[in-house]
Amino acid sequence: MDAQACPVNQRFWTPGVVVLAFLMAAGAVAIVARFVGGIGYVSNLSNARPWGIWVGIDVASGVALAAGGFTTGFLAHIAGRHYYEPIVRPALLTAMLGYTFVVLGLIIDIGRSWAIWKPMIFHNTNSVLFEVAMCVMFYLNVLYLEFAPIVVERYKGRVRLPGLLAIFNGPAEALLSLADAVLPKIMWILIIAGVVLSCMHQSSLGSLMLIAPTKIHPLWYTPILPLLFLTSAIAVGYPMVVFETTIITSSLKRDGEMHILASLTRITIFLLGFYMVLKVGDMVVRGTYVYLLDGTAQTNSFLVELILGVIVPWVMLLCPAVRRSRRALFIACTMIVGGVLLNRINVFIVGFTSRLSDGSYFPSVSEILVTVGLISGLMFIYRVLVTYLPVLSGAHQEVSS
Amino acid sequence: MMKTLDRARTKRVAALVLLAFALVARTAAPAPAAAKAEKLSPPQGWVAPDRQRAIERAHENVPFVSQVKDECFVCRQQRLRNEGYGIDDITDACFLLDSPIIKKRSDQYMPVRFMHSKHAAALNDCTVCHHLRPADPQGKETSRCVACHRQAFDPRHPDRVGLKAAYHLRCIGCHEQMHKGPVDCLGCHDKNVPDHNRLVELPDHPKPSQVTVECLRCHKRQGREMLKTAHWLWRGNSAYTMGRRKEVQSGKGTNAVNNF
Amino acid sequence: MRLNRRGFFKVVGAAGVAVAGTGQNAGAWHSKAPKDPYGCLVDLTRCIGCRKCEEACNRVNRLPPPELPFDDPTVLDTRRRPTDKAYTVVNRYYTGKLDERSKLVPTFVKIQCMHCQDPACVSACIVGALTKKENGAVHYDVGKCIGCRYCMVACPFEIPAYEYYDPITPRVMKCTFCYERISKQGGLPGCAEICPVEALTFGKRSTLLEVARKRIKQDPARYLDHIYGEKELGGTSWMYISGEPFESVGFRPLPAEPIPRLTETIQHSLFSYLWSPALLFALLGGLMWSTHKKQNTSEKGGES
């Protein structure tokens, strides 16, 4: 805990940030087109393929890859490993922004964006999607509240809004004081609730596709799909933290925090191994290995997902040399992240077939622009927030590894 | 091709028959008033007597047969043949299949004129249509369709089809099986074209262009289609005129003001 | 550390056992199918492909006019699916059956919402905009819909269509079973009313099953002994009988298991009364409390 978190004090408009801004602008154009011409105007979605990459990547993968937030929160706060404290704030910020953009993606994807509040009034408790929506909604609020102390730490007693907004200085200050008084007392509830809500909807995202037994390829359609989703989300949590920490520390030339990342990956060996055993075991028990050599897009995608996304990185992590090498560790963790990403894409898009109607689907350019734009927006806001808020630990600033 | 020719011939024959009927009717009818005698068309409201009879018959109230005799089809065929049922028992040569039961649900087409005698003579087997008889021994051996087949989807008789379906199933089924007779809608029906006297709004002495505009008011699609035909474009080939085939590819449609 | 990880696994394992356990106690799931619904029996041997049903459907549901008129026979040359502008379509299949003149005999198949007894879309709908009515219709309430299209993902018959080109108020479009019409005494769905050959028979589902069995029994040469929709997915309100194998005329073999059974069993056994989240919350709370207590004592011990 010697590395106190502090705002990043570096040149903001680096070439990377400019590229992000450009992609954001392109995505914004596509989003405007979606709200002018309709979903059909910008996307390749059809009656046979109602869900595309906006659900498969923006929502499902977004939720999975934001799992770093609750897994590190569990480790540092519930299990009491304060050693991992430096990575909690970045992971929390990633989760918060990740879920914010999941909701933004949903708003773009659903046909009646203005009606997104309706599940709060009209309940269908039989619907898996209803449960997912409720969990995501509550969890997003939990994440904001968990993040609030960071804002309080930075701005309490220092609220200086510019120009006319200065009249809000008083109320903002009062709000921060209130948060400062209340939040520490209920933080333990929020932390546990965050883990519980995450477990609920991470698994339920898997149940989502169980409603379509005739459409999902048997390689993925298994009654334990929710369990696989949960375990893969838990397994991908720490690799995702390694992945983003490595990217951030190298792009901002900060301390690599290798000691923390290396021990995180030791836990990952068990978590990923558990997921691997479940996934392979499920394949063996249900006998779906017969499809493996079909040579179709689905089976090839499954093979890539299983071998390059799970087995190879798991074997890599077993080697102490990999865990010590910053580069090798990054590669292994990127493969795990990619494996889970591909798994979500496979379940929601590749493995989804419609045999009665022509269900061929490949995302359109504007569809991809929206997704890329949203991800760029996430990264951009991340960069903005770490500039103003104490998120990244800054003890060894400017020490290149 | 064969079928089309067949049908054309049938139509021609039907027209001749109608003409003959009309002539017969004219001679048989009492001499009309001297002022109207010059007109060739029949007076307003006049209906040929056999048609009048068919219309009345179509609207007759027929007692409902709720129970039918349980009899195998071949037994019935044999029995009717043995009992000597045949074309001589026919009282009406043609029917108008125009029951109010059908009109209640839909009114897209004009009723079919069914030539009972002609069909009976061609088939020489009453049981093809009169496939069952009432269970009541007093009932008629060959009941009318409407005696059993009424409103569709009657919950008391779920396995009986309604009158409209009974007609269609029997007619189309038989025509398909025998490869004789029409199987499409307009082969038997005339379209129930709404009375255009009420729909068309034109001044007393309209200009030709006014008439066109008035037609296009409703028939927009036909108007668009007309613009693609050789009649409008003065271009293309006259594919439908056998032995008079010619092709015009220059003129009004492409590179000239008109084709004169 | 090890203890904590084990604790963590325990929770995950408990969730896993609960999920796996649902396979066994699936008997707890109850069908929510209406007792005595209406239905429609489609007799493919009768259909003549006149497309009057499409025309009537278009009229009674006030759908936009089609590109090609309803009496244009070329429409049948392409295989179509229901769209947001047509709730029902008739397709022509040549199964290879020949008549006595060696001409291919077409089989016409009308498709529309099957109005399942236990519909996947109804179970899936996040807001309950889709409901299975007592009279058998799967009814869509646009006032609740948010446009998530999960119903379309769920539908095994790939029926619901979407107004993709409406940016603000798109609707899910599918056959309504003419809900308002059949709710009235003696009311018929538009398509069944118009059908000239009663290829569509409307009535109580139980009656229709008897009718179908009787037709098959009376003419076994004409029909296959299979009522599609009697058992498929727990039964559907629309059912088909055919003279040609169903696979060859655009139908897929489907299990008798109602689709919502698995997900609803998982959801309710895991989340009824929120017992599992509550349990997980308690477990984690206990773990958090114990670690903090341990750390406090060790810190105190270190200080002293």
Side-chain angles (χ1 to χ4, degrees), chain B residues 105 109 159 162 164-165 168, chain C residues 52 101 193-194 196 198 214:
Chain B
R105 290 291 188 191
Y109 292 97
D159 47 348
K164 182 171 73 170
H168 282 125
Chain C
K52 290 284 170 218
R101 293 183 176 186
E193 179 179 63
I194 201 88
E198 275 179 44
K214 198 165 171 184

Side-chain angles (χ1 to χ4, degrees), chain A residues 40-58:
Chain A
Y41 181 62
V42 290
S43 76
N44 280 348
L45 295 177
S46 63
N47 291 334
R49 297 298 296 249
W51 282 0
I53 57 168
W54 292 347
V55 171
I57 295 180
D58 297 20

Side-chain angles (χ1 to χ4, degrees), chain A residues 52 91 127 131 163 230 249 288 301:
Chain A
S127 171
E131 189 226 314
L230 180 63
T249 52
T288 48
S301 199

Side-chain angles (χ1 to χ4, degrees), chain C residues 182-261:
Chain C
I182 66 169
S183 298
K184 287 182 210 128
Q185 182 64 36
L188 298 175
C191 52
E193 179 179 63
I194 201 88
C195 182
V197 289
E198 275 179 44
L200 312 173
T201 308
F202 175 80
K204 288 286 182 188
R205 187 174 184 270
S206 47
T207 320
L208 294 177
L209 278 169
E210 281 166 32
V211 170
R213 285 196 200 102
K214 198 165 171 184
R215 279 191 210 165
I216 293 172
K217 194 178 157 212
Q218 282 180 346
D219 205 344
R222 185 185 174 102
Y223 297 103
L224 295 170
D225 190 12
H226 181 183
I227 307 169
Y228 192 94
E230 181 189 11
K231 298 206 172 72
E232 274 77 7
L233 305 179
T236 54
S237 285
W238 278 67
M239 296 170 292
Y240 290 76
I241 48 176
S242 167
E244 300 297 304
F246 282 105
E247 290 80 38
S248 64
V249 289
F251 291 86
R252 291 185 55 195
L254 289 169
E257 173 112 342
I259 287 191
R261 187 186 188 126

Side-chain angles (χ1 to χ4, degrees), chain A residues 255-277:
Chain A
D255 174 27
E257 287 161 358
M258 271 306 286
H259 56 291
I260 300 179
L261 302 188
S263 41
L264 271 185
T265 44
R266 276 205 305 276
I267 311 173
T268 302
I269 294 173
F270 289 97
L271 298 177
L272 188 67
F274 186 54
Y275 170 57
M276 184 173 71
V277 168

Side-chain angles (χ1 to χ4, degrees), chain B residues 69-83 85 125 127 130-133 141:
Chain B
K69 191 178 171 189
D70 188 16
E71 190 176 21
C72 91
F73 180 72
V74 182
C75 316
R76 176 166 171 75
Q77 208 175 18
Q78 284 301 322
R79 189 165 60 75
L80 259 66
R81 202 164 281 168
N82 294 343
E83 289 174 18
Y85 281 94
D125 178 4
T127 58
H130 300 281
H131 54 120
L132 288 168
R133 64 150 294 146
E141 188 63 58

Side-chain angles (χ1 to χ4, degrees), chain B:
Chain B
M1 200 63 198
M2 281 295 289
K3 203 174 267 179
T4 338
L5 284 179
D6 268 358
R7 196 178 307 154
R9 197 179 301 145
T10 327
K11 280 205 171 150
R12 225 175 296 141
V13 171
L16 283 174
V17 170
L18 274 177
L19 191 65
F21 260 108
L23 286 173
V24 171
R26 274 182 72 79
T27 46
K36 285 177 185 172
E38 281 138 37
K39 283 194 178 176
L40 283 173
S41 56
Q44 200 109 40
W46 181 85
V47 184
D50 62 332
R51 187 174 172 81
Q52 184 63 42
R53 163 79 191 124
I55 293 171
E56 280 164 17
R57 195 176 185 281
H59 290 80
E60 267 168 21
N61 201 4
V62 181
F64 182 63
V65 174
S66 60
Q67 289 289 319
V68 290
K69 191 178 171 189
D70 188 16
E71 190 176 21
C72 91
F73 180 72
V74 182
C75 316
R76 176 166 171 75
Q77 208 175 18
Q78 284 301 322
R79 189 165 60 75
L80 259 66
R81 202 164 281 168
N82 294 343
E83 289 174 18
Y85 281 94
I87 193 159
D88 299 337
D89 299 297
I90 288 176
T91 52
D92 296 78
C94 73
F95 301 149
L96 202 60
L97 307 183
D98 187 25
S99 168
I101 293 173
I102 294 176
K103 286 284 173 233
K104 207 171 147 190
R105 290 291 188 191
S106 71
D107 199 12
Q108 281 191 309
Y109 292 97
M110 300 297 279
V112 171
R113 238 172 84 96
F114 175 70
M115 314 298 260
H116 191 194
S117 301
K118 191 183 152 195
H119 281 83
L123 291 169
N124 200 18
D125 178 4
C126 307
T127 58
V128 172
C129 297
H130 300 281
H131 54 120
L132 288 168
R133 64 150 294 146
D136 178 10
Q138 305 299 316
K140 268 184 81 179
E141 188 63 58
T142 53
S143 302
R144 292 171 58 169
C145 307
V146 73
C148 296
H149 300 282
R150 301 239 159 146
Q151 212 52 261
F153 320 131
D154 185 348
R156 285 161 302 176
H157 300 281
D159 47 348
R160 268 188 209 179
V161 295
L163 183 60
K164 182 171 73 170
Y167 286 150
H168 282 125
L169 280 171
R170 185 60 66 192
C171 294
I172 298 172
C174 210
H175 289 179
E176 268 181 349
Q177 206 181 353
M178 309 244 171
H179 298 283
K180 244 179 203 165
V183 290
D184 57 337
C185 310
L186 296 175
C188 298
H189 296 274
D190 280 332
K191 261 196 176 162
N192 192 2
V193 182
D195 183 2
H196 277 59
N197 280 329
R198 278 183 223 153
L199 296 172
V200 176
E201 290 163 13
L202 279 173
D204 277 345
H205 299 288
K207 284 184 230 155
S209 58
Q210 282 177 311
V211 178
T212 310
V213 168
E214 182 60 15
C215 294
L216 287 175
R217 191 162 60 86
C218 298
H219 299 281
K220 289 195 181 74
R221 187 170 60 79
Q222 285 79 356
R224 280 198 303 275
E225 282 169 4
M226 164 69 189
L227 295 182
K228 289 174 191 157
T229 62
H231 287 291
W232 178 256
L233 295 174
W234 292 33
R235 177 175 54 132
N237 45 8
S238 52
Y240 302 110
T241 327
M242 304 283 272
R244 290 263 190 282
R245 236 173 272 203
K246 65 170 186 177
E247 212 177 86
V248 179
Q249 289 302 356
S250 61
K252 194 175 113 174
T254 47
N255 51 9
V257 180
N258 67 39
N259 283 33
F260 292 115

